[in-house]
Amino acid sequence: MSKDTLIVVGSVAFDSIETPRGNADEALGGSGTYFSYAASYFTRPRLVGVVGEDFPDEHRQLFAKRQIDTTGLTSEKGGKTFRWRGRYHSDMNNRDTLEVHLNVFGTFNPVLPPAFCDSTHVFLANGSPLIQAKVLDQIKKPQMVMADTMDLWISTMHNELLALLPRLDGLLLNESEALMLTKDHNLIRAGMAIRKLGPKFVIIKKGEHGSMLFTQDGVFLLPGYPTEEVIDPTGAGDSFAGGLMGQLCSDDSPPPGRLRRAMAYGTVVASFTVEGFGLDRLKKIERADIDKRLEHYKSMLDF
Ligand code: AMP
């Protein structure tokens, strides 16, 4: 097994979700949660985040069951956990954020446990680029750093985001965010332009339509896994990233094709996530289910 270690810094939340297929109230969610849960099928991720006093022990046990190291998940006395409420449109591709209560996440100042500072693989989940940079400052010798971002930071912390980009190996963002960041309307041009801002590679997520990778060698495309039952798309992006980085961190094979293979794993893990509310579906699968679906996915790409 690889000696590489994966750390994620992100939100741990209670999500209330409405989709055309039903509702969930205060389900365990957040970018750090989805990422680490997805990555746990490949490695033992280290999760750094903050929760309030209202965070039940049962959720910590769930992380422990998947061997997610929560030494860096601090609990703030008297505080409340981050809450997010969202509603999906009928096509499930778009959603509206109805409520955000940052609570303890609003003043989150991540200080990594000393034992985590030797992590080789780093995922800076969606958050302020200032906080993302602060996390990176604490890692001694990172080998692979990837970050996620969102429209909020592109518009409100543009310069801080631009300062972070050259420090990244990879930037992950969705279609509309890539166009927003580059003020372009063509995704190919946007992907290539973002690489020029600093990251060695860029991955653009296109929801059910898959993902695009931009490297110095050009463009690589993967479709989404064709899932018949989409119940709740929340966390698809974060579990795509978790599967991808978990696989990268545990892959000892030679570099050519590594990133592409990791994206395929990320795609498959995300396809399970959307088949249930919150973590419901992921809780029911084993690594063998991921490998089996990966084989099926591969056969659909073969011509
Ligand atoms: P995704 O569907 O992969 O884009 O991620 C959805 C997750 O992001 C949900 O579980 C939310 O709790 C979390 N989330 C929503 N807004 C924010 C925010 N501003 N910062 C961090 N996490 C957020």
Side-chain angles (χ1 to χ4, degrees):
M1 197 173 157
S2 166
K3 286 196 188 62
D4 290 342
T5 41
L6 174 61
I7 187 170
V8 53
V9 183
S11 60
V12 175
F14 289 130
D15 290 342
S16 296
I17 307 154
E18 296 169 36
T19 84
R21 300 298 306 272
N23 302 329
D25 202 31
E26 305 235 315
L28 173 60
S31 57
T33 299
Y34 280 109
F35 181 95
S36 56
Y37 208 90
S40 73
Y41 293 96
F42 304 87
T43 186
R44 294 179 183 175
R46 298 164 163 180
L47 170 62
V48 176
V50 62
V51 292
E53 258 182 6
D54 51 357
F55 196 73
D57 207 40
E58 151 204 352
H59 291 344
R60 283 188 182 271
Q61 283 165 18
L62 188 70
F63 288 132
K65 216 166 129 192
R66 290 240 35 104
Q67 300 198 304
I68 296 167
D69 187 338
T70 54
T71 315
L73 183 63
T74 52
S75 176
E76 234 171 72
K77 275 213 175 85
K80 283 180 86 179
T81 301
F82 173 57
R83 277 167 173 76
W84 175 78
R85 178 181 291 276
R87 182 187 291 143
Y88 286 83
H89 300 186
S90 52
D91 66 358
M92 297 261 199
N93 283 326
N94 293 299
R95 71 181 175 210
D96 297 320
T97 291
L98 304 179
E99 284 177 45
V100 178
H101 302 283
L102 291 176
N103 299 329
V104 292
F105 193 58
T107 49
F108 181 40
N109 180 24
V111 176
L112 307 190
F116 283 9
C117 297
D118 67 354
S119 302
T120 56
H121 289 57
V122 184
F123 187 68
L124 308 167
N126 186 7
S128 139
L130 280 180
I131 299 276
Q132 291 177 317
K134 200 174 163 199
V135 169
L136 202 46
D137 291 342
Q138 297 172 63
I139 306 282
K140 286 188 208 141
K141 264 193 187 171
Q143 284 174 28
M144 169 63 69
V145 181
M146 291 178 64
D148 195 351
T149 195
M150 71 186 284
D151 48 2
L152 175 70
W153 311 120
I154 295 171
S155 55
T156 63
M157 287 213 182
H158 198 80
N159 290 337
E160 292 83 351
L161 181 61
L162 291 182
L164 178 76
L165 295 183
R167 303 181 66 189
L168 303 179
D169 291 283
L171 179 70
L172 260 117
L173 68 184
N174 69 29
E175 207 170 342
S176 59
E177 292 155 357
L179 298 179
M180 183 180 176
L181 180 58
T182 54
K183 297 192 175 69
D184 205 324
H185 52 266
N186 177 288
L187 261 195
I188 309 291
R189 275 202 305 260
M192 295 194 293
I194 297 171
R195 267 198 73 232
K196 293 206 178 112
L197 297 174
K200 292 189 192 77
F201 62 89
V202 174
I203 295 177
I204 300 184
K205 299 173 285 179
K206 303 194 323 158
E208 66 169 325
H209 302 298
S211 55
M212 301 168 89
L213 167 71
F214 297 82
T215 66
Q216 61 176 8
D217 301 326
V219 186
F220 171 69
L221 310 172
L222 273 182
Y225 179 85
T227 322
E228 285 175 42
E229 276 280 51
V230 179
I231 307 279
D232 168 23
T234 310
D238 297 310
S239 40
F240 169 78
L244 188 164
M245 278 202 91
Q247 161 65 18
L248 265 189
C249 184
S250 63
D251 189 355
D252 283 331
S253 66
R258 249 193 197 183
L259 202 48
R260 293 177 175 204
R261 200 159 43 242
M263 281 172 69
Y265 272 103
T267 303
V268 167
V269 178
S271 76
F272 281 111
T273 303
V274 303
E275 288 176 350
F277 277 102
L279 293 171
D280 285 358
R281 183 71 177 108
L282 283 187
K283 277 192 220 165
K284 295 194 186 104
I285 64 163
E286 301 290 337
R287 172 61 194 257
D289 297 302
I290 295 172
D291 290 333
K292 192 170 161 213
R293 190 172 280 191
L294 187 90
E295 283 312 307
H296 186 221
Y297 182 55
K298 232 179 177 174
S299 72
M300 287 188 285
L301 298 173
D302 190 26
F303 64 89

